[in-house]
Amino acid sequence: MSPTDPALMSAETLLGLYARRALSPVEVLQAVLRRVTLYNPWVNAFAAMNPRALHQAGESEARWMAGRPMGLLDGVPATVKDLLNLAGFPTRRGSKTTDATPATEDAPSVLGLKQAGAVILGKTTTTEFGWKSPGDCPLHGITRNPWNRERTVGGSSSGAGAAGAACFGPLHIGTDAGGSIRIPAAFCGLVGFKPSFGRVPQWPLGAFASVAVAGPMTRTVRDAALMFSAMAQHDLRDPFCLPDDARDWRQGIEQGVAGMRVGLVRRLGFEPPLDADGEAALLGAAKLLEEAGAIVEEADPGLPDTRAIFGRVWGVALARLVATIPEERRPLLDRGLEEVAEREGGMSAVDFLGAEALRIEAAHAMARFHQRYDILLTACTPTAAFAADQPTIRPTEALWRDWAPWTFAFNLTRQPAISVPIGLDEHGMPRAVQVAAALYRDDLALRAARALEQAAEVPLADPR
């Protein structure tokens, strides 16, 4: 792969070349589409392609030629996860049970990208209703990892992870209710940013509305901050979204971590599993932060057992979802989804309110923790990407053991967390660590992630 290939360039690089008229949005989109034609038949990243993308790139090119770019992202290719509405396209959510009628309006995060001038390439695959981390769904089958087609991309933002790693454009919207941005980012060598709850508005609200967010999946931290700037716009449709904080989130991102206090965390109310390569990656990241001037020490935020909280949130949300599907269509569902709904969804209102009380306790513990520590550093996944064709067996156990033991706590506390590539294992597969900051300190999380990125460069995937 040539570094002069526009499909491999960051959004920031593309925008600079557009401004100098050294490259056009049409040329970039054509380069991306060549890669899609070559690799997507086996990667399987897309739920739908946008037939008007080339036309929209031409409109962007005309704006650049006239010296009147539309916004922060004018002419940059982007994709949308198929849990979010994209006007003119159905929102199938990876399920054979859903309606194929096209959506009539854009989700807020999609609208933000469009208003910034991004060219929407298409919709990416998701696990069914975003319920799990292996990257397959009944509607579109298995999405495969561009680093190794035998491995999963993770989920639930499976197509976004694959599209990012395969260089199908630099910007990809994912959603994250328990790790669904950060897990595929970690498995695919991407930056995956779960912002503070409420920063990026959402509508319509999904099954996991109380913990879910939309966020960027990109190949660089600076691109994630740039994309976040376009997505984090107040939208009155979402009653939980924050007021506008009109800013370019790249501001201050290069200030480094000198003097920052970093808590190296191994417990999140329980001891999440981590293999030897993951342990080495975590310690390596801690050393890089120390060398950059941070003060790193092992710490425990003193959380309650977050498994007990998230299991209830997950199970009740899926049970409610299944209850909305007509009985005659339920046999079309992923059997594992039904299994979790049946096993975890029968709790009483008292039990569910108890889980919410524990969630607030966890959020309070994290708030106190961040009075001492600016940044929290953990592993992101227990292992590298596992087999793509591996069946989903005992999903409740798999959630704690294989999928999301390091990520879901930060959905419960609603604070920002970022998956940052840190290197490759002996099999050439990406490994990552996770950086988190206090609620609403998205700027600190981005800043620390950028410092790590500069210290540990990871090559792009090379699909074959």
Side-chain angles (χ1 to χ4, degrees), residues 196-233:
S196 293
F197 184 84
R199 284 278 188 217
V200 176
Q202 298 192 89
W203 190 260
L205 300 177
F208 305 101
S210 65
V211 292
V213 298
M217 296 174 67
T218 61
R219 295 196 295 273
T220 73
V221 175
R222 288 188 62 91
D223 271 5
L226 172 65
M227 187 178 178
F228 182 45
S229 301
M231 296 172 70
Q233 307 290 330

Side-chain angles (χ1 to χ4, degrees), residues 84-369:
L84 300 174
N85 284 354
L86 174 63
F89 293 80
T91 306
R92 297 301 307 273
R93 300 179 176 89
S95 182
K96 294 178 179 179
T97 69
T98 52
D99 188 355
T101 303
T104 58
E105 63 180 16
D106 294 314
S109 55
V110 177
L111 184 62
L113 292 196
K114 284 186 174 181
Q115 289 177 335
V119 174
I120 306 301
L121 183 60
K123 300 198 78 175
T124 53
T125 59
T126 174
T127 67
E128 189 169 30
F129 296 103
W131 85 275
K132 66 176 183 178
S133 293
D136 62 89
C137 69
L139 186 60
H140 297 113
I142 297 172
T143 298
R144 297 184 179 275
N145 197 314
W147 290 85
N148 182 334
R149 68 183 67 201
E150 302 303 321
R151 304 287 190 102
T152 186
V153 288
S156 62
S157 304
S158 42
C167 301
F168 298 163
L171 306 179
H172 309 276
I173 301 181
T175 65
D176 191 314
S180 289
I181 285 173
R182 290 159 289 158
I183 294 165
F187 284 173
C188 293
L190 303 178
V191 174
F193 180 29
K194 182 198 81 67
S196 293
F197 184 84
R199 284 278 188 217
V200 176
Q202 298 192 89
W203 190 260
L205 300 177
F208 305 101
S210 65
V211 292
V213 298
M217 296 174 67
T218 61
R219 295 196 295 273
T220 73
V221 175
R222 288 188 62 91
D223 271 5
L226 172 65
M227 187 178 178
F228 182 45
S229 301
M231 296 172 70
Q233 307 290 330
H234 179 82
D235 191 300
L236 57 80
R237 290 175 290 177
D238 182 354
F240 301 113
C241 75
L242 299 172
D244 274 335
D245 184 356
R247 64 186 291 177
D248 185 331
W249 286 90
R250 292 171 296 177
Q251 182 180 354
I253 203 170
E254 303 293 347
Q255 291 179 4
V257 293
M260 273 194 189
R261 298 193 67 88
V262 178
L264 175 62
V265 171
R266 300 175 185 278
R267 282 187 58 84
L268 294 168
F270 70 107
E271 294 183 5
L274 185 62
D275 67 8
D277 285 332
E279 176 71 12
L282 180 61
L283 294 178
K287 183 178 180 182
L288 290 173
L289 289 173
E290 281 187 321
E291 291 171 350
I295 303 160
V296 182
E297 58 187 39
E298 297 234 11
D300 185 342
L303 299 178
D305 190 336
T306 48
R307 293 173 297 183
I309 312 169
F310 192 81
R312 295 178 187 179
V313 172
W314 189 44
V316 168
L318 292 181
R320 180 172 175 267
L321 173 67
V322 170
T324 66
I325 296 170
E327 282 194 41
E328 66 272 14
R329 299 189 68 79
R330 290 179 194 173
L332 299 173
L333 288 168
D334 187 322
R335 178 58 196 138
L337 187 159
E338 284 195 288
E339 181 182 333
V340 174
E342 291 167 3
R343 177 173 172 176
E344 304 291 336
M347 69 185 67
S348 68
V350 171
D351 288 337
F352 186 73
L353 289 174
E356 177 62 8
L358 284 172
R359 189 195 68 75
I360 294 170
E361 181 183 328
H364 174 74
M366 277 296 192
R368 296 296 295 267
F369 181 83

Side-chain angles (χ1 to χ4, degrees), residues 24-34 53-55 57 77 119 121:
S24 81
V26 170
E27 291 171 326
V28 171
L29 191 65
Q30 288 171 335
V32 169
L33 289 174
R34 283 194 292 270
L54 199 57
H55 175 76
V119 174
L121 183 60

Side-chain angles (χ1 to χ4, degrees), residues 33-63:
L33 289 174
R34 283 194 292 270
R35 292 186 67 83
V36 172
T37 299
L38 188 60
Y39 298 123
N40 196 59
W42 65 264
V43 170
N44 191 30
F46 287 100
M49 298 292 293
N50 178 12
R52 289 184 48 80
L54 199 57
H55 175 76
Q56 291 164 1
E59 292 177 330
S60 172
E61 180 176 307
R63 292 191 293 269

Side-chain angles (χ1 to χ4, degrees), residues 383-442:
T383 64
F386 45 84
D389 299 281
Q390 181 174 305
T392 298
I393 300 172
R394 294 191 293 276
T396 303
E397 295 173 25
L399 178 69
W400 319 131
R401 185 187 63 238
D402 305 321
W403 302 351
W406 291 100
T407 52
F408 63 76
F410 303 104
N411 295 84
L412 296 173
T413 60
R414 299 182 172 180
Q415 65 197 96
I418 308 180
S419 172
V420 185
I422 202 68
L424 304 179
D425 66 15
E426 62 179 336
H427 302 291
M429 295 301 294
R431 294 308 297 256
V433 294
Q434 182 175 214
V435 170
L439 184 63
Y440 307 135
R441 290 310 308 266
D442 303 74

